[in-house]
Amino acid sequence: MQNRIQELRKARKVTQQELADALRVTRQTIISLENGKYNASLTLAHKAAQFFGITIEELFVFEGDENL
Amino acid sequence: MTMEEYRKKLTFRQRLAICMCLAAPSSTWLIRSLAGEVTEYARGLLAGVLVSGILIGAFVAARMTVLLKNEDKLREQYIKATDERNQAISRETSRAACLILLVALYLGIIVSAFFSITVSLTLFCVLQVFALAVFGSFFYYKGKM
């Protein structure tokens, strides 16, 4: 699963630490999410989508078997 | 877990650590008096348990006190403790460690059987207890989720 976290974060000039503080996770989690090493839980995905003011589907790109 | 719940958890840990510090000397004395004459090894083991109990208890109590008195450090620790990636890492670590332990025990039972039946049987008992703990935990969480 890919995501647009880095793209949206940079577009809004938000640092990784600021995003981490807002989502109440560590900066390392943001780095792992941006690198695609870690997939967010539904709760974190919801919080991230809320932070950027978009839907989960717009923030996370579901590919292949991840779709019905 | 909310920040307030985490604070309560740390307060509980702080109290537990203080109790551990206080209980270590008395429980060691109690064990020694109940056991009567003990071997040199048992005396050394008890002394080790006493010293480590006090040191660990004091360390944890001091750490909890620092965290509970400093709001910034508490928040930082709260985020670290509740961070879902850290929790996922812990879960994976436990799973991998269990698997490694299981394989090591299995191999240990086979290899030690050639040298010492006592060691082999002890490892076999450890394996049984381990398996019971795994099955117990599995059914507990199966019922919870």
Side-chain angles (χ1 to χ4, degrees):
Chain A
M1 180 168 59
Q2 290 182 342
N3 65 69
R4 295 173 56 216
I5 292 176
Q6 191 173 38
E7 174 199 331
L8 292 166
R9 181 181 62 75
K10 283 183 176 170
R12 285 160 203 234
K13 293 186 170 53
V14 176
T15 65
Q16 288 177 330
Q17 189 59 59
E18 284 167 348
L19 180 59
D21 289 342
L23 301 181
R24 287 193 167 191
V25 292
T26 59
R27 186 172 155 261
Q28 194 57 49
T29 299
I30 301 298
I31 294 169
S32 295
L33 282 169
E34 288 185 353
N35 291 339
K37 283 183 181 175
Y38 175 70
N39 285 334
S41 70
L42 185 59
T43 312
L44 183 57
H46 177 64
K47 279 185 191 172
Q50 270 190 324
F51 179 84
F52 291 115
I54 55 176
T55 62
I56 291 176
E57 288 88 343
E58 286 171 319
L59 184 58
F60 292 91
V61 183
F62 297 94
E63 298 163 317
D65 288 348
E66 289 163 356
N67 290 304
L68 282 174
Chain B
M1 191 197 311
T2 63
M3 185 83 163
E4 206 44 50
E5 284 169 343
Y6 187 65
R7 193 191 300 273
K8 279 181 188 168
K9 193 176 173 180
L10 291 193
T11 310
F12 175 73
R13 275 189 201 166
Q14 183 192 33
R15 286 177 186 161
L16 200 69
I18 293 168
C19 285
M20 195 168 142
C21 268
L22 298 173
S26 52
S27 55
T28 310
W29 173 82
L30 190 73
I31 292 167
R32 278 199 68 175
S33 57
L34 284 175
E37 276 301 305
V38 289
T39 61
E40 193 72 22
Y41 174 76
R43 266 205 298 276
L45 190 76
L46 275 175
V49 169
L50 169 74
V51 173
S52 60
I54 292 172
L55 286 178
I56 292 169
F59 174 76
V60 173
R63 192 158 180 266
M64 295 301 118
T65 308
V66 169
L67 286 176
L68 287 167
K69 282 188 176 174
N70 188 326
E71 206 57 37
D72 290 337
K73 280 186 180 174
L74 180 68
R75 187 180 148 76
E76 196 181 311
Q77 191 57 36
Y78 168 72
I79 288 173
K80 269 187 197 169
T82 55
D83 180 68
E84 63 171 52
R85 181 176 157 274
N86 283 345
Q87 289 175 344
I89 291 170
S90 294
R91 274 197 302 273
E92 288 302 312
T93 307
S94 302
R95 205 164 65 170
C98 273
L99 193 68
I100 292 166
L101 188 63
L102 196 71
V103 173
L105 275 172
Y106 187 72
L107 289 175
I109 291 166
I110 295 168
V111 173
S112 61
F114 293 100
F115 307 103
S116 166
I117 295 170
T118 313
V119 173
S120 188
L121 281 174
T122 308
L123 288 178
F124 180 74
C125 289
V126 171
L127 184 68
Q128 299 308 305
V129 173
F130 181 74
L132 273 175
V134 169
F135 281 118
S137 306
F138 175 76
F139 285 110
Y140 173 74
Y141 285 110
K142 199 179 171 186
K144 271 191 95 173
M145 290 181 189

